[in-house]
């Protein structure tokens, strides 16, 4: 998959980061992803996707406060960059156009 | 917690950056804190994913900057040696310690005399700073580390961002003056970084000046040895020319990459300072991270699609080149089909020793005037002979003095003497060897 294309898991993770707002961190993203897609996603897959999105400069991250339930470790929060927001909008629009094409029978 | 989760956690800690350690171990603790089996399984998976990423990153980005500069310096020298050998050059000629020493001493002298030596301390510190954050060349990692520093989470060492410490300090002084003070600080930083880059450029020039001086000294040495045989003169001249090559190697394989890396670092840091000037008005470290990130990525220029194949192919290319370069050069030329075997290469080489007159240990002490010629097949043997010429002359005189005038009339005694001298000379010239000692002239009066 090329650097400029957006995979389906990448798109899903970006949507979830957007939906979670200020609470978008590893565990929450993975839980929400598993819930929405009704599939159990491993942390490895989620981290790989997050790293890839970071490499593509579509998301950025920062460390939050440490918490006792995490063994005194901090959470790493994620947010979409402007470029990420734009890319997500484009991907959603492209998919909607494709879907409307199918539904309208234009591609039949 | 039993041993397995602990081992998995240790492996993950070992390979992760500071930020990743916080995030991933925290996530694992939160999600699987009460399920050691799931914790171990997930930690092991995360470790493997991270390991794969580290390896890919090392290939793509060539490791840390200091290491990359070193690798490129070695690469440049290997390529030069390879081309030199293929073109028919003898690698031994490049072993010219005096030329290296002259150039380095001249560079050191210039650096001390002009006061640039102290600035080089700062420059090396800057290079180390660029290396310190793992993967810190990535704008996202830098912006994130700065945001953490601002939020005082301690994830980033303040020493990694000394240029921003000043700005943070200034912003706290007075809200009304902060803007102009920070502007002044950025201008000062730009001036200082331009000065350091100037010093790197001046050092490159020093390397060329050193090479020029070493070349001239080599020419003067050659001119002073004008009575020597052409083989020795050619060798001296080649040594002088090598000085120019050494100067270029130092300037372009060592100093120039340092300048390139510093230029990149100063560019990044200036953009970060500008981003901080804008975002400090908002007083929010998260908004800074975003502003800094956008500022850095906007001018990062993107990555070249061909980079992956280039960096995958390069180590293979380097390995092949390295193997060829360390192969004895004579063999190399034969393997490449560029030259015939050594015994056919241009035929034997002859070296004429100076003419000598001495009294033989015989009644009437007749005078013998003789001249020896040495035959060998390796150019570097000329060097060995010229270094040991006095010892060779002494050894020859010692043996020849005991001969009688009639010994020079027949061939038996002369052949015996040639064999004796050959064994003695080869003993003195070790590890070099000559094939034959000949009497070019032998007159008894």
């Amino acid at each position: 998959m090329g650097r400029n294309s957006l995979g389906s898991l990448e798109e899903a993770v970006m949507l979830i980061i957007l939906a979670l707002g200020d609470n978008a961190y590893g565990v929450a993203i993975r839980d929400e992803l598993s819930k929405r897609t009704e599939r159990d996603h491993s942390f490895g897959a989620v981290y790989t996707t997050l790293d890839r999105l970071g490499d593509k400069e579509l998301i950025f991250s920062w460390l939050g406060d440490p918490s006792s339930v995490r063994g005194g470790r901090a959470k790493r929060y994620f947010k979409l960059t402007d470029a990420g927001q734009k890319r997500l909008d484009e991907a959603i629009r492209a998919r909607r156009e494709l879907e409307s094409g199918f539904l309208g029978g234009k591609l039949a | 917690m039993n041993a397995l989760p602990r081992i998995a956690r240790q492996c993950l800690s070992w390979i992760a950056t500071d930020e990743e350690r916080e995030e991933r171990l925290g996530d694992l603790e939160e999600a699987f804190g009460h399920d050691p089996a799931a914790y171990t399984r997930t930690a092991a998976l995360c470790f493997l994913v991270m390991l794969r990423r580290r390896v890919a990153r090392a290939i793509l980005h060539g490791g840390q900057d200091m290491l990359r500069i070193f690798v490129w310096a070695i690469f440049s020298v290997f390529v030069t040696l390879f081309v030199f050998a293929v073109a028919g050059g003898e690698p031994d000629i490049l072993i010219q310690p005096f030329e290296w020493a002259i150039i380095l001493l001249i560079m050191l002298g210039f650096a001390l005399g002009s006061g640039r030596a102290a600035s080089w301390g700062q420059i090396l510190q800057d290079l180390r700073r660029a290396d310190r954050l793992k993967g810190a060349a990535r704008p996202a990692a830098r912006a994130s580390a700065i945001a953490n520093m601002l939020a005082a989470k301690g994830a980033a060492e303040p020493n990694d961002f000394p240029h921003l410490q000043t700005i943070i300090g200034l912003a706290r002084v007075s809200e009304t003056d902060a803007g102009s003070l920070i502007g002044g600080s950025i201008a000062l930083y730009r001036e200082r970084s331009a000065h350091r880059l100037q010093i790197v450029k001046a050092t490159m020039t020093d390397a060329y000046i050193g090479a020029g001086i070493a070349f001239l000294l080599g020419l003067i040495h050659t001119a002073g040895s004008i009575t020597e045989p052409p083989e020795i003169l050619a060798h001296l001249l080649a040594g002088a020319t090598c000085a120019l090559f050494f100067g270029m190697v130092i300037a372009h394989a060592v100093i120039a990459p340092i300048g390139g890396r510093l230029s990149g670092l100063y560019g990044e840091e200036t953009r970060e300072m500008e981003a901080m000037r804008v975002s400090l008005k908002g007083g929010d470290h998260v908004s800074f991270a975003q502003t800094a990130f956008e500022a850095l990525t906007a001018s990062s220029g993107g990555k070249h699609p061909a980079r992956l194949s280039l960096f995958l192919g390069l180590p293979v290319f380097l390995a092949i080149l390295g193997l060829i370069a360390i192969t004895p050069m004579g063999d190399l030329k034969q393997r490449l089909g560029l030259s015939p075997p050594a015994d056919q290469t241009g035929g034997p080489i002859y070296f004429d020793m100076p003419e000598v007159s001495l009294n033989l240990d015989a009644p009437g002490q007749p005078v013998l005037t003789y001249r020896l010629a040495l035959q060998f097949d390796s150019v570097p043997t000329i060097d060995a002979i010229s270094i040991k010429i006095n010892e060779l002359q002494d050894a020859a005189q010692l043996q020849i003095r005991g001969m009688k005038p009639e010994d020079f009339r027949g061939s038996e005694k002369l052949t015996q003497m040639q064999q004796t001298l050959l064994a003695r000379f080869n003993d003195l010239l070790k590890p070099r060897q000559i094939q034959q000692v000949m009497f070019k002239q032998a007159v008894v009066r």
Side-chain angles (χ1 to χ4, degrees):
Chain A
M1 190 169 286
R3 180 178 161 75
N4 292 320
S5 57
L6 204 57
S8 59
L9 190 59
E10 288 175 341
E11 191 181 323
V13 167
M14 287 176 79
L15 278 167
I16 285 165
I17 290 174
L18 201 62
L20 288 171
D22 290 340
N23 195 37
Y25 71 103
V27 176
I29 293 169
R30 183 248 186 185
D31 290 349
E32 195 64 23
L33 185 66
S34 299
K35 196 173 116 188
R36 301 263 176 171
T37 58
E38 297 176 347
R39 253 182 66 197
D40 192 26
H41 288 275
S42 70
F43 272 103
V46 173
Y47 290 139
T48 304
T49 309
L50 289 169
D51 285 339
R52 202 180 300 135
L53 288 171
D55 285 346
K56 290 179 177 179
E57 297 160 0
L58 299 177
I59 59 170
F60 76 99
S61 66
W62 70 98
L63 286 183
D65 295 319
S67 103
S68 56
V69 291
R70 297 170 58 83
R73 304 274 181 187
K75 289 177 184 173
R76 186 178 177 198
Y77 291 103
F78 296 90
K79 203 168 181 177
L80 298 192
T81 62
D82 288 348
Q85 183 75 59
K86 198 174 153 196
R87 183 73 63 80
L88 186 62
D89 290 345
E90 283 169 5
I92 292 169
R93 194 168 51 245
R95 201 177 58 230
R96 278 186 185 152
E97 281 172 13
L98 192 63
E99 283 169 0
S100 65
F102 270 114
L103 293 173
K106 290 174 193 169
L107 297 176
Chain B
M1 190 177 276
N2 61 35
L4 277 178
R6 207 164 48 240
I7 292 169
R9 194 177 68 171
Q10 195 53 46
C11 288
L12 200 56
S13 298
W14 170 65
I15 201 170
T17 62
D18 292 344
E19 259 192 42
E20 285 167 345
R21 198 175 300 126
E22 281 291 307
E23 175 204 16
R24 309 222 168 155
L25 292 180
D27 284 355
L28 287 174
E29 189 65 36
E30 186 180 335
F32 307 112
H34 304 291
D35 185 354
Y39 186 103
T40 308
R41 209 170 39 246
T42 313
L45 180 67
C46 287
F47 169 76
L48 290 175
V49 167
M50 208 176 281
L51 183 66
R52 191 187 63 184
R53 188 173 166 78
R54 288 279 175 279
V55 172
R57 190 163 289 281
I59 294 169
L60 277 169
H61 297 282
Q64 294 190 324
D65 292 299
M66 292 289 267
L67 181 65
R68 193 162 49 195
I69 289 169
F70 178 74
V71 166
W72 276 108
I74 298 289
F75 175 74
S76 310
V77 172
F78 267 166
V79 168
T80 313
L81 281 179
F82 177 76
V83 173
F84 181 69
V86 168
E90 289 287 340
D92 291 23
I93 197 89
L94 294 172
I95 303 168
Q96 304 284 353
F98 288 113
E99 272 71 12
W100 281 107
I102 288 168
I103 295 171
L104 293 174
L105 280 173
I106 288 169
M107 288 176 71
L108 182 67
F110 282 173
L112 289 172
S114 61
R116 287 200 291 267
S119 300
W120 263 101
Q122 292 294 323
I123 287 169
L124 292 176
Q125 272 183 18
D126 287 351
L127 277 175
R128 277 201 295 274
R129 192 170 76 241
D131 283 346
R132 209 150 38 218
L133 279 178
K134 287 179 196 167
R138 293 172 54 219
R142 284 190 74 90
S144 171
I146 293 166
N148 293 330
M149 184 186 74
L150 285 174
K153 297 290 185 305
E157 285 288 325
N159 286 342
D160 293 332
F161 304 98
H163 58 298
L164 299 181
Q165 292 293 313
T166 320
I167 290 190
I168 295 167
L170 288 173
R172 284 176 186 151
V173 173
S174 152
E175 271 190 33
T176 45
D177 295 337
S180 58
L181 284 172
I182 291 172
S185 176
I186 293 174
L188 192 67
Y189 175 86
R190 281 201 170 119
E191 197 178 308
R192 202 180 56 204
S193 53
H195 172 67
R196 286 181 189 166
L197 286 175
Q198 194 58 42
I199 282 172
V200 175
K201 283 180 192 164
T203 307
M204 275 185 78
T205 313
D206 289 351
Y208 273 107
I209 294 173
I213 292 174
F215 175 65
L216 282 178
L217 290 176
L219 282 187
I220 292 167
H221 186 196
T222 311
S225 312
I226 201 73
T227 52
E228 296 290 337
E231 295 89 349
I232 293 182
L233 288 178
H235 222 59
L236 289 173
L237 204 57
T241 319
C242 278
L244 293 177
F245 164 68
F246 300 153
M248 282 183 225
V249 167
I250 295 171
H252 291 282
V254 181
I255 309 291
I258 291 176
R261 178 60 199 129
L262 279 183
S263 179
L265 174 75
Y266 294 150
E268 273 172 3
E269 290 189 344
T270 308
R271 289 194 293 276
E272 283 163 7
M273 291 167 90
E274 292 287 0
M276 181 166 271
R277 175 159 65 170
V278 174
S279 63
L280 275 178
K281 289 174 189 165
D284 174 9
H285 69 274
V286 177
S287 80
F288 166 72
Q290 186 150 16
T291 313
F293 179 85
E294 302 293 351
L296 290 168
T297 51
S299 42
S300 64
K303 297 180 180 75
H304 300 293
R307 208 171 178 186
L308 178 63
S309 54
L310 172 70
F311 278 92
L312 283 176
L314 197 59
V316 178
F317 176 63
L318 258 179
I320 294 169
L321 209 59
L323 279 175
I324 293 172
I326 60 174
T327 309
M329 296 297 173
D331 291 351
L332 168 72
K333 282 182 280 180
Q334 287 165 31
R335 284 176 200 183
L336 294 177
L338 295 171
S339 72
D343 55 351
Q344 298 169 20
T345 319
I349 302 167
Y350 295 97
F351 182 94
D352 286 344
M353 291 181 71
E355 188 179 274
V356 175
S357 292
L358 53 76
N359 292 107
L360 296 174
D361 288 338
Q365 292 202 320
V367 176
L368 168 69
T369 302
Y370 71 92
R371 183 192 283 270
L372 294 175
L374 311 180
Q375 181 197 316
F376 45 89
D377 59 9
S378 159
V379 175
T381 309
I382 298 171
D383 273 349
I385 292 172
S386 49
I387 291 167
K388 295 275 178 85
I389 189 81
N390 290 332
E391 290 171 61
L392 295 174
Q393 293 277 49
D394 281 350
Q397 286 181 27
L398 207 64
Q399 300 291 334
I400 293 171
R401 198 183 295 277
M403 293 179 81
K404 297 183 177 65
E406 54 269 27
D407 292 343
F408 291 92
R409 293 193 194 107
S411 64
E412 187 187 343
K413 291 282 181 185
L414 271 181
T415 309
Q416 260 181 21
M417 179 53 66
Q418 283 174 340
Q419 294 305 318
T420 309
L421 290 177
L422 180 65
R424 183 76 189 109
F425 283 5
N426 277 335
D427 201 35
L428 285 169
L429 292 171
K430 273 180 187 169
R432 301 283 174 206
Q433 292 284 294
I434 57 174
Q435 273 75 53
Q436 210 175 338
V437 178
M438 290 165 289
F439 281 93
K440 277 192 86 172
Q441 174 196 347
V443 181
V444 182
R445 290 193 185 92

